[in-house]
Amino acid sequence: MELDAISIEQRDEQDQLAHLQQFFSLPDDVIYLDGNSLGALPKSVSAALTNAVEEQWGKSLIKGWNCHNWIDLPSKVGDRIAKLVGADEGTLVCADSTSLNVFKVLATAIKMRPSRKVILSDTGNFPTDLYMAQGLKGLVSEDLELRLVAPEDVENALDESVAVMMLTEVDYRTGRKHNMKELTEKAHAVGALAMWDLCHSAGAFPVHLKAAEADFAVGCSYKYLNGGPGAPAFVYVAPQHKNAAGNPLTGWMGHSAPFAFDLGYEPSAKTDQMRVGTPQVLAMTALDAALDVFDQTSLEALQAKSIELSELFISEVKRRCPSLELASPTDPYKRGSQVSFCHEHGYAIMQALIDHGVIGDFRAPNIIRFGFAPLYLTYANIVKAAEILGEIIAGNLWDTPAYHRKSKVT
Ligand SMILES: *Cc1c(COP(=O)(O)O)cnc(C)c1O
């Protein structure tokens, strides 16, 4: 035990990313293992928001659109995110929510494959993506089919009826990671388009949208990118589709000349065509500031530490909590930056854990989920979290009525 403790201390001392912790504001009595759901607060955000509100909005008023360049925030912030997901400058904009961006991209993709009627996805996809596809059915065509298969069957389900393969790279429950490059290649081989949801990828590990030849991508910025609750999402369009693509939500900010106030819609020739209405300036300012910390490290370094943290957590939890069953792939390269376990009383266990200062979350029906954000976690955090989890399970501390009561958000 003594030896273990020393080696953990040494790992923290030798951690090349340890200096990044100071850029985050976290309560002292909390170990935060939910950065995969809502990233922690970067200290730079408060100052940026105060400045945007008091100096920019307060003093410049409407002049801010030009003098503080608010109007270009979607492409400016988009270019910063593009760098983190292996996309070229000018191919990604920050706008709206992930759900809305899924809708725009799906409708566009279906238009690009008019003779095909199938959206192919898997049962591990996040429900909102599937719901958006279902909403398109009545709108675009009654023949449209959302074909759902098990994640491991996607490859075999690709055929010439598929217009677009819509997948989330990392499964929100298990953390299982699809092979983006391989599946995109298979989709293209049958003439289908490939759309990737990067909600659990962006900011967590290197993503190579361009190298994988993805056609479209969407993602949110409040998880590993730390943009804050409800932060605006992003949408990527491969350069070769810029003209073919057509955002069905034809708002003025996607127009080629919004301030010409023409009566007819003319899409922008740039990725800006994926924009709809007025950008959320305050939220985008917060996100812009949150992204600063990524200039100080690389996604390769973040992934390497994430793997060490998650492997350490799995081995500590295995040792202390034999009743928890690992729900994530054991190969760290086949999962995102999260680890999940199954337990029939998972909900109550997670509530007890949160009450004891370790924040993770619960996903129905029986998954407890832990995210590893290497920007602000230490190795000692991981060991301590596993120790507390072990005590809660060994002592049945979760088994009280208060911990069984379900909240609106789990
Ligand atoms: C978090 C998440 C979303 C969230 O969509 P919103 O529109 O931001 O609510 C969508 N897709 C996936 C895969 C997610 O993990």
Side-chain angles (χ1 to χ4, degrees), residues 118 120-121 147-149 153-162:
V118 174
L120 176 67
S121 192
R147 188 177 293 165
L148 286 182
V149 298
D153 294 335
V154 170
E155 189 180 325
N156 285 334
L158 277 165
D159 60 30
E160 293 185 358
S161 67
V162 177

Side-chain angles (χ1 to χ4, degrees), residues 97-99 126 128-129 168 197 199-200 220 222-223:
S97 64
T98 304
S99 303
F126 192 77
T128 200
D129 297 39
T168 293
D197 184 330
C199 277
H200 288 280
C220 68
Y222 49 77
K223 292 171 180 163

